[in-house]
């Protein structure tokens, strides 16, 4: 049976609908950076998703090629995630999505090295006949965070974020959003196939003690 990160690391991908505090270890990701309203047709965000999955599935299916990754085991491609911000703001202004900056990411299994990544970029470009140079090998050490499962449409996220911040204060912590630590979302539902009220999204904010 394929290894499923969502099931094996429930503390990261299946939090409760009440806020909790968690320490996230350093992980490697595929990443694409961009700006603009993610909902627009032909947006940089939608392009980033196509690029990420193109490389993610090239790595997943590598065992069916002549290229062998040391330590490879079969796995389910982890869910799409995103780091979001708007320059000059500590939080998120959902009324001005055109001002979004983002880093779209998909987690990599630990056995994938930079050399394996470089092979996958080249292989994906060759097979799909498009440029994958925007995709980065991205290492991120997220550290101490408050997180919560948000149920419902993205526009209702502020209510969940408010509950997270109230809990954070009760636990003696403060928000630590910086140029390196961002508002983080993990998408567990396919927005194309899921009713807005049933969408499941992990929301995560960086915090610090005191």
């Amino acid at each position: 049976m394929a290894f499923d990160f969502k099931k094996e690391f429930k503390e990261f991908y299946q939090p409760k609908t009440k806020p909790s505090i968690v320490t996230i270890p350093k992980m490697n990701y595929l990443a694409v950076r961009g700006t603009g309203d993610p909902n627009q047709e032909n947006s940089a965000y939608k392009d980033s998703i196509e690029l990420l999955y193109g490389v993610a599935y090239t790595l997943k299916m590598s065992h069916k090629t002549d290229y062998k990754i040391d330590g490879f085991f079969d796995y389910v491609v982890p869910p799409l995630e995103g780091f979001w911000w708007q320059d000059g703001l500590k939080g998120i202004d959902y009324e001005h999505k055109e001002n979004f900056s983002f880093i779209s990411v998909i987690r990599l299994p630990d056995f994938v090295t930079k050399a394996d990544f470089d092979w996958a970029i080249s292989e994906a470009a060759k097979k799909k006949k498009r440029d994958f140079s925007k995709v980065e090998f991205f290492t991120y050490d997220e550290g101490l965070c408050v997180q919560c499962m948000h149920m419902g449409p993205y526009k209702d996220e502020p209510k969940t974020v408010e509950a997270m911040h109230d809990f954070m204060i009760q636990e003696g912590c403060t928000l630590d959003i910086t140029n390196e630590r961002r508002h983080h979302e993990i998408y567990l539902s396919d927005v194309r196939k899921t009713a807005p009220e049933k969408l499941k999204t992990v929301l995560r904010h960086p915090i610090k003690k005191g």
Side-chain angles (χ1 to χ4, degrees):
M1 184 177 294
F3 185 93
D4 190 335
F5 289 86
K6 297 188 301 298
K7 294 178 180 178
E8 299 296 331
F9 298 103
K10 291 183 178 180
E11 68 271 30
F12 303 148
Y13 300 103
Q14 302 288 340
K16 299 184 184 304
T17 53
K18 292 183 178 180
S20 61
I21 290 176
V22 63
T23 299
I24 310 297
K26 183 186 293 186
M27 301 179 191
N28 293 326
Y29 300 86
L30 298 172
V32 176
R33 301 169 190 264
T35 59
D37 186 340
N39 298 320
Q40 285 187 336
E41 198 66 34
N42 300 318
S43 66
Y45 179 68
K46 291 178 180 177
D47 186 57
S48 76
I49 296 173
E50 292 180 8
L51 292 171
L52 289 176
Y53 277 108
V55 180
Y57 277 96
T58 298
L59 287 164
K60 172 180 168 58
M61 303 308 294
S62 63
H63 66 286
K64 295 191 175 183
T65 72
D66 292 335
Y67 186 86
K68 302 304 177 186
I69 298 177
D70 188 37
F72 180 93
F73 54 78
D74 191 22
Y75 63 97
V76 177
V77 171
L80 179 70
E81 309 182 34
F83 298 98
W84 296 89
W85 70 97
Q86 290 162 311
D87 290 337
L89 291 181
K90 276 272 188 178
I92 295 291
D93 180 358
Y94 291 86
E95 299 300 316
H96 292 280
K97 296 177 181 177
E98 70 277 6
N99 296 329
F100 273 135
S101 294
F102 63 84
I103 307 174
S104 293
V105 302
I106 293 177
R107 181 180 178 178
L108 289 170
D110 290 343
F111 57 72
V112 175
T113 66
K114 178 61 165 57
D116 300 324
F117 164 84
D118 290 339
W119 169 83
I121 293 292
S122 176
E123 184 74 2
K126 182 170 62 178
K127 286 195 170 183
K128 298 183 179 296
K129 293 180 170 53
R130 67 172 297 181
D131 182 9
F132 283 86
S133 62
K134 288 183 180 178
V135 184
E136 306 171 27
F137 186 88
F138 180 63
T139 301
Y140 191 64
D141 190 356
E142 196 162 14
L144 191 67
C145 295
V146 59
Q147 69 177 9
C148 189
M149 181 70 79
H150 173 71
M151 303 291 296
Y154 302 130
K155 66 181 179 64
D156 291 345
E157 285 183 6
K159 296 177 183 177
T160 301
V161 168
E162 183 179 0
M164 288 163 55
H165 289 181
D166 288 345
F167 178 78
M168 164 193 77
I169 293 169
Q170 292 171 15
E171 295 297 309
C173 298
T174 56
L175 193 64
D176 193 32
I177 289 180
T178 67
N179 288 337
E180 288 76 38
R181 307 185 77 202
R182 307 290 193 184
H183 171 96
H184 187 179
E185 302 186 355
I186 303 175
Y187 309 106
L188 301 179
S189 306
D190 187 338
V191 69
R192 300 166 300 178
K193 303 175 182 178
T194 309
E197 65 274 11
K198 295 184 178 179
L199 290 171
K200 297 173 68 175
T201 310
V202 179
L203 299 184
R204 192 179 288 161
H205 275 181
I207 59 175
K208 58 185 177 182
K209 293 285 187 180

